[in-house]
Every structure is written in structure tokens, then in C-alpha cells.
Amino acid sequence: MNDVPAALATLPISLDAPPLEGEVLPPEPRKRPKSKRLKDTAAWAALTPELWEVARLLPSAQNARLHSPKQVKAIAESMKQFGFTVPILVDEAGDIIAGHGRLLAAELLKLAQVPVIIARGWTEEEKRAYRVMDNQLTISGEWDVDKLKVELTALQGFGFDIEFMGFDADKLAITLDPAQ
């Protein structure tokens, strides 16, 4: 129901009108300039991995993602099986932007060195945004359950221990249940 009196509803209203005397408006959100990094392929960090000493890496105090011992063990098992396939993303000083779980797994495996890619020239704001985005985007996807069931069943048949693939045991049992 519209509670605006008919006489007021016909008045022209400008959203660009200056504030009334004494009126305090909220600050405008700060607009970030568009990055040209996507077009500048020579600056892509992923094209120039380096091998760094584990002791040189600094976990971020702002990292909000938690890694359980079970998850770290699963990451370590993946590294044993496939090697270190995804480098840790760091800034020039060695502060970790993405890859805290991989660092924990590397420490569990007592690795002295790990591959890193360096995000050169990123602002603190960009590092913080990427840290959150990188973690959230990976969990916001969904599975095609039918295809997942086929893949997991095949992997079990090949002898892979699917317990270390990061699935909750109850969810895994439901997914693999032929009656589902």
C-alpha cells in the first residue's frame, strides 16, 4: 500500500538535489579503478612460479579461512599423490594471500621449499579482497551429483582412497548409495 499523499506523489523529486541544511549524507562508496592486469599477460603471477623456503612464508593474520587437522592431512595426502600442483600466492614480502592450507600441509610433510607465485604490486586492499574471494568462490560451486557419483565410484575402482578427497563421510555415503 502506498502511504504517500497524492499531492506529494506528483512532485518532481531529484536524487541529485543538494542536501538540506544540516543534513548529513553517508559517504559515497569508494570506487576501485578497473585493473588492467587481465590484459597485461606479462604481469600474470601464475606464469612465473618460484621455489621459496617454507621459513620465508608469512601466514596472514587476516586469513579468515580455518583448516582442520583432517583437511590439512587430506591436502598433504594429495601432495604425496600428485605433487605440489598449486603454488602458494604471496606478495613480495612473503605474506601469504592464498594457500594457507597448502603451507600447513607442506609443514606436515616437512618440506623445506614450496612453489610460490608472487602478486607484484597489489595493494593491501586487493590482497585482502582476493584472500576472501579465493576461499569463498571455491565453496560456492555445486556438484553435478550424477557425474560425481560416476567419478567417485570409478576412482574407488582404481584404488584411490576417496576419504582424502575432502568429503564428509555421511555425505559421501549418501552420494555413493546406489539407491539415491
CSV table of all heavy atoms in Angstrom, one decimal, residues 10 42-43 48 59 64 71 117 141 166:
chain,number,residue,atom,x,y,z
A,10,THR,N,3.0,13.6,-6.8
A,10,THR,CA,3.2,14.2,-8.2
A,10,THR,C,4.3,15.2,-8.2
A,10,THR,O,4.7,15.7,-9.2
A,10,THR,CB,1.9,14.9,-8.6
A,10,THR,OG1,1.6,15.9,-7.6
A,10,THR,CG2,0.8,13.9,-8.7
A,42,ALA,N,51.9,-10.4,-19.5
A,42,ALA,CA,53.3,-10.4,-19.0
A,42,ALA,C,53.4,-10.3,-17.5
A,42,ALA,O,54.4,-10.7,-16.9
A,42,ALA,CB,54.1,-9.4,-19.7
A,43,ALA,N,52.4,-9.7,-16.9
A,43,ALA,CA,52.4,-9.5,-15.4
A,43,ALA,C,51.6,-10.6,-14.6
A,43,ALA,O,51.5,-10.5,-13.4
A,43,ALA,CB,51.7,-8.1,-15.1
A,48,THR,N,55.1,-17.2,-13.7
A,48,THR,CA,56.5,-17.1,-13.2
A,48,THR,C,56.6,-17.7,-11.8
A,48,THR,O,56.9,-17.0,-10.8
A,48,THR,CB,57.0,-15.7,-13.2
A,48,THR,OG1,56.1,-14.9,-12.4
A,48,THR,CG2,57.2,-15.1,-14.6
A,59,PRO,N,52.2,-16.5,7.2
A,59,PRO,CA,50.8,-16.6,7.2
A,59,PRO,C,50.1,-15.3,7.5
A,59,PRO,O,50.6,-14.5,8.4
A,59,PRO,CB,50.5,-17.6,8.2
A,59,PRO,CG,51.7,-18.4,8.3
A,59,PRO,CD,52.8,-17.5,8.1
A,64,ALA,N,40.8,-15.5,7.2
A,64,ALA,CA,39.7,-16.0,7.9
A,64,ALA,C,39.3,-17.4,7.7
A,64,ALA,O,38.4,-17.9,8.4
A,64,ALA,CB,38.5,-15.1,7.5
A,71,GLN,N,41.6,-31.8,7.3
A,71,GLN,CA,41.7,-31.2,6.0
A,71,GLN,C,43.2,-31.0,5.6
A,71,GLN,O,43.6,-31.3,4.5
A,71,GLN,CB,41.0,-29.8,5.9
A,71,GLN,CG,41.1,-29.2,4.5
A,71,GLN,CD,40.6,-27.8,4.5
A,71,GLN,OE1,40.7,-27.0,5.5
A,71,GLN,NE2,40.2,-27.3,3.3
A,117,ILE,N,53.8,-18.2,-6.3
A,117,ILE,CA,53.7,-17.2,-7.3
A,117,ILE,C,53.5,-15.9,-6.6
A,117,ILE,O,52.9,-15.8,-5.5
A,117,ILE,CB,52.5,-17.5,-8.3
A,117,ILE,CG1,51.2,-17.8,-7.6
A,117,ILE,CG2,52.9,-18.6,-9.3
A,117,ILE,CD1,50.1,-18.0,-8.5
A,141,GLY,N,30.5,-23.2,-5.4
A,141,GLY,CA,30.1,-24.0,-6.5
A,141,GLY,C,29.2,-25.2,-6.1
A,141,GLY,O,29.1,-25.5,-4.9
A,166,GLY,N,38.3,-34.9,0.7
A,166,GLY,CA,37.6,-33.8,1.3
A,166,GLY,C,36.1,-33.9,1.6
A,166,GLY,O,35.5,-32.9,2.0
